[in-house]
Amino acid sequence: MEIGKTSFAEVIQTDRTSRENKEWRGTLLDYLEKIKEDPSIPKLAHARLYDFLLGQGMYDIAQSDDARVKRLYKDDNLKVYNYFKDEFFGIERTVAQISRYFHSASLKGEESRQVLYLMGPVGSGKSSLVEKLQRALEETDPVYAIEGCPMFEEPLHLIPRHLRKEFEQMLGVHIEGDLCPTCRFRLKEEYQARYEDVPIVTVSFSKRNRKGIGVVPPVDPNNQDTSVLIGSEDISKLDKYSEGDPRVLELNGAFNVGNRGMVEFIEVFKNETEYLHAMITATQEKFIPAPGRHGTIYVDSVIVAHSNEAEWQKFKADHTNEAILDRIVVVKVPYNLRLSEEVKIYQKILKKSSFRAHVAPHTLEMASMFAILSRLEPTAKCDLITKLRLYNGEEVVEKGRTKKINLQELREDVKREGLSGVSTRFIMKALDNALAESGRCINPINVRETLIAMVKEQDITDDLRKQYLEFLQDTIHKDYLELLEKEITKAFVYSYQAQADALFQNYLDHAEAFVNKTRVKDRNTREELQPDEGFLKSVEEQIAIIGSAADGFRQEVIAYLWAASRRAQTITYKSYEPLKEAIEKKLTNSVRDISRVITKARTRDEEQIGKYHTMVSSLLEQGYCEYCVDVVLKYAANNLWKD
Ligand SMILES: Nc1ncnc2c1ncn2[C@@H]1O[C@H](COP(=O)(O)OP(=O)(O)OP(=O)(O)O)[C@@H](O)[C@H]1O
Ligand SMILES: [Mg+2]
């Protein structure tokens, strides 16, 4: 589509009209009529935000169409909110807890008088979650407010106390809160107490314009002036007006501007307790002191705070902080521990950045694998890479074992998993550095090298460094080589999928006959044959299932696929992950010699040249670029088929 001058103008005009349509101006009397039509208009801050979240859609995680997600969360009764779904990955529990907080708070439960506090390690997404909530506020419809009020006050505050009951009945709403000193003064002086005439306008929330969103950065402890929170008195006006005249007030603190929306405390526990007490009174009692001698001011705001775990622990350890602790809803924001979701995090960040280089297949997976391994707690039940796969929702049989590992048990064993390890930012830095080195493309090889270099320089304990290097130089190295070999095999084997499926069908036929003690009907000759146990074994031994373990494995495969076919799922060689792995390995082994010779050879005969080019172009089709296809093939030649 060509975007000409007219269409720019059109876009602007449509936008302006739609904004103007939402703008409204009237008196309190007009506003009351509006509420009568729609009593859902006056909302408290938590309810406004929650209604918006809900409006974007929500479903039970059990209804997810992703089989892995279903498997992972089958014991949890979690709600997924669409609003967060495409930006936050693998922290479903955290997001569900945040949403639950808003749900209870919107019903005026105790949560509406508590601080929402996000605690987690660096780079786990705390700030992003808060920003996302702030964006929700910016997207909600404008609120009605008393014109000129520095706190965008709810106009119903104008209704005098003695009439409120009656108005509440007439309107079907609850009226809470009192006028701020500025509005009280203006009502008397400018409108001669005729509150019904006070002008009401619509106000849109905006973080940048400090409307409905106030932010409190950690403040220098030597200079904790409360004006950041509650505004101040304008000294220059003090000699003009008498003491107690609200015209000297500058109600521009975070609590003032965040009224009706949100106040965010960044690194909250870096502040003095005095600050924190103001925060607690604001949530618990819903008022803040006015600067100077102006009494107190009603506030209605979602108060969100965040910090890392160390600060939280320090704060918690001090028992004089008990009163504050009791008024905080703690939501942990751990690192994501699911491989597939970690990849999505980097895809998201790369998409938003100006990173434009080529990203070779498996690069983000490999970096993500490192991040997650560093975050996992070891267990006696399986090795870490198996744990990683289980957490990823894969069905894994650890080498040589047949007993399935129970995910729930694994989760119960951990103490503080996800609260330490490598952060998203560390990985992003590695990707950037790898690109700076190569100049064209990032791939598993240069990213792994960069990670190794960064770990060597990182300021961590020697033990941890050793552990990280082992992940990179051993665990991940091996895993990647296996994957690379599979990939090269696929590029070599003509119609890989068909061959794999044939092998799979064959295995099923024979395993089924073996388990049921029947015969196999040959698909071509219709001959009835004994199940070929030698063939079955040749597949199973690929994943180290040997001896007595084989019986159980065969039964499991058959049971699994029966269940799948009963649910009318289409079955391919990929349906049952352990078997898929065995089949892929078998195929790989069958062409290992030829792929080795052809990839490594310095000189090739004509036939080999043909095969080599077919392989390369197949890799290019799979997403490699001219540069990295060369890199990975050299890497394979040097590492995979070492002489
Ligand atoms: N689970 C996740 N899903 C999506 N994005 C994530 C996730 N975890 C981290 N990120 C991304 O990682 C980056 C860093 O996150 P963010 O700045 O929000 O972390 P933080 O917890 O506030 O860290 P800090 O404690 O250092 O302030 C952001 O781009 C964020 O979107
Ligand atoms: Mg942050």
Side-chain angles (χ1 to χ4, degrees), residues 269-499:
F269 297 123
K270 288 225 168 88
N271 292 309
E272 290 293 301
T273 13
E274 194 197 345
Y275 254 51
L276 300 177
H277 279 295
M279 173 178 92
I280 291 300
T281 328
T283 24
Q284 195 75 27
E285 320 295 340
K286 295 193 95 168
F287 66 71
I288 53 169
R293 298 187 184 174
H294 296 270
T296 59
I297 306 180
Y298 168 88
V299 283
D300 165 41
S301 187
V302 176
I303 299 185
V304 184
H306 48 103
S307 81
N308 61 37
E309 196 192 8
E311 278 171 22
W312 166 243
Q313 294 298 357
K314 203 169 97 203
F315 184 79
K316 219 170 65 166
D318 184 347
H319 71 272
T320 58
N321 290 328
E322 251 166 39
I324 299 181
L325 287 172
D326 199 37
R327 291 164 169 82
I328 291 180
V329 175
V330 184
V331 174
K332 279 189 196 159
V333 189
Y335 288 132
N336 158 54
L337 299 175
R338 255 161 75 203
L339 184 61
S340 61
E341 305 308 286
E342 191 71 10
V343 171
K344 289 185 196 159
I345 297 178
Y346 303 120
Q347 282 168 341
K348 174 189 86 170
I349 303 180
L350 288 178
K351 211 159 124 196
K352 280 192 194 162
S353 76
S354 51
F355 192 99
R356 290 290 169 269
H358 177 244
V359 181
H362 313 298
T363 308
L364 301 182
E365 282 86 341
M366 204 269 314
S368 300
M369 192 179 260
F370 173 59
I372 291 175
L373 284 174
S374 78
R375 298 167 185 169
L376 293 180
E377 285 180 14
T379 161
K381 297 199 170 79
C382 60
D383 61 23
L384 271 193
I385 196 105
T386 306
K387 190 175 191 183
L388 176 143
R389 302 231 177 270
L390 287 166
Y391 275 17
N392 198 33
E394 295 171 35
E395 278 177 294
V396 206
V397 176
E398 200 186 2
K399 284 194 176 60
R401 297 195 201 187
T402 44
K403 196 178 161 296
K404 282 252 179 71
I405 299 156
N406 184 313
L407 195 61
Q408 203 56 37
E409 280 174 22
L410 276 184
R411 286 208 188 114
E412 278 161 13
D413 276 355
V414 302
K415 292 195 183 65
R416 43 187 308 282
E417 197 164 62
L419 292 179
S420 62
V422 159
S423 81
T424 42
R425 285 195 205 101
F426 187 86
I427 300 293
M428 279 310 299
K429 238 182 271 166
L431 300 183
D432 287 337
N433 291 352
L435 180 63
E437 290 274 311
S438 88
R440 319 195 205 184
C441 145
I442 58 170
N443 53 61
I445 289 130
N446 60 20
V447 169
R448 194 180 69 103
E449 273 165 16
T450 313
L451 281 168
I452 290 174
M454 282 170 67
V455 166
K456 283 185 177 160
E457 281 175 19
Q458 204 185 356
D459 187 15
I460 46 174
T461 63
D462 286 344
D463 282 350
L464 201 55
R465 191 185 330 280
K466 206 172 132 223
Q467 164 97 83
Y468 285 3
L469 287 176
E470 196 182 310
F471 289 150
L472 288 164
Q473 291 170 330
D474 187 54
T475 321
I476 291 174
H477 176 67
K478 283 190 187 136
D479 194 85
Y480 177 63
L481 281 180
E482 227 173 75
L483 198 140
L484 184 58
E485 187 173 24
K486 215 186 288 175
E487 192 133 286
I488 295 176
T489 307
K490 277 189 196 167
F492 259 115
V493 179
Y494 176 71
S495 60
Y496 184 89
Q497 165 95 25
Q499 289 206 36

Side-chain angles (χ1 to χ4, degrees), residues 122-279:
V122 290
S124 62
K126 301 180 295 294
S127 298
S128 309
L129 281 165
V130 177
E131 253 164 54
K132 184 79 179 159
L133 289 170
Q134 292 167 344
R135 249 179 293 142
L137 282 175
E138 294 182 325
E139 282 176 41
T140 53
D141 285 338
V143 294
Y144 294 88
I146 299 174
E147 189 186 49
C149 173
M151 296 176 61
F152 328 106
E153 178 151 33
E154 165 63 56
L156 290 175
H157 291 177
L158 287 161
I159 311 281
R161 283 270 160 191
H162 66 274
L163 279 179
R164 285 202 181 172
K165 266 237 146 56
E166 206 174 330
F167 272 81
E168 283 183 347
Q169 267 165 12
M170 284 164 72
L171 296 169
V173 301
H174 173 70
I175 305 176
E176 179 182 303
D178 291 298
L179 284 180
C180 77
T182 307
C183 288
R184 213 179 313 138
F185 180 84
R186 288 181 60 206
L187 174 62
K188 202 163 117 222
E189 300 293 316
E190 286 176 38
Y191 304 104
Q192 288 73 46
R194 288 183 59 85
Y195 53 89
E196 70 275 28
D197 294 340
V198 172
I200 310 300
V201 291
T202 46
V203 174
S204 296
F205 289 138
S206 155
K207 184 174 182 177
R208 211 171 32 163
N209 297 330
R210 302 190 79 219
K211 286 185 178 168
I213 300 171
V215 180
V216 187
V219 195
D220 172 6
N222 300 318
N223 180 26
Q224 296 229 341
D225 180 351
T226 50
S227 66
V228 176
L229 298 180
I230 60 168
S232 56
E233 288 179 303
D234 183 346
I235 305 175
S236 68
K237 288 183 184 158
L238 276 176
D239 44 353
K240 203 158 126 203
Y241 301 115
S242 65
E243 192 183 9
D245 189 316
R247 278 172 292 187
V248 304
L249 285 178
E250 300 270 356
L251 295 180
N252 57 6
F255 277 118
N256 307 117
V257 301
N259 187 36
R260 308 197 69 187
M262 176 185 294
V263 181
E264 173 191 5
F265 282 79
I266 298 171
E267 303 199 31
V268 59
F269 297 123
K270 288 225 168 88
N271 292 309
E272 290 293 301
T273 13
E274 194 197 345
Y275 254 51
L276 300 177
H277 279 295
M279 173 178 92

Side-chain angles (χ1 to χ4, degrees), residues 72-128:
L72 285 170
Y73 290 104
K74 67 178 184 319
D75 301 320
D76 311 63
N77 179 18
L78 292 184
K79 304 254 184 283
V80 179
Y81 286 76
N82 290 341
Y83 182 63
F84 296 98
K85 204 174 66 170
D86 299 330
E87 255 176 86
F88 295 91
F89 307 108
I91 50 171
E92 289 80 357
R93 253 183 218 102
T94 302
V95 173
Q97 278 170 17
I98 293 175
S99 310
R100 198 182 308 142
Y101 163 87
F102 280 105
H103 184 200
S104 325
S106 74
L107 301 171
K108 297 211 196 132
E110 178 55 27
E111 279 86 345
S112 64
R113 292 177 180 266
Q114 301 223 336
V115 175
L116 173 65
Y117 165 65
L118 307 181
M119 185 273 281
V122 290
S124 62
K126 301 180 295 294
S127 298
S128 309

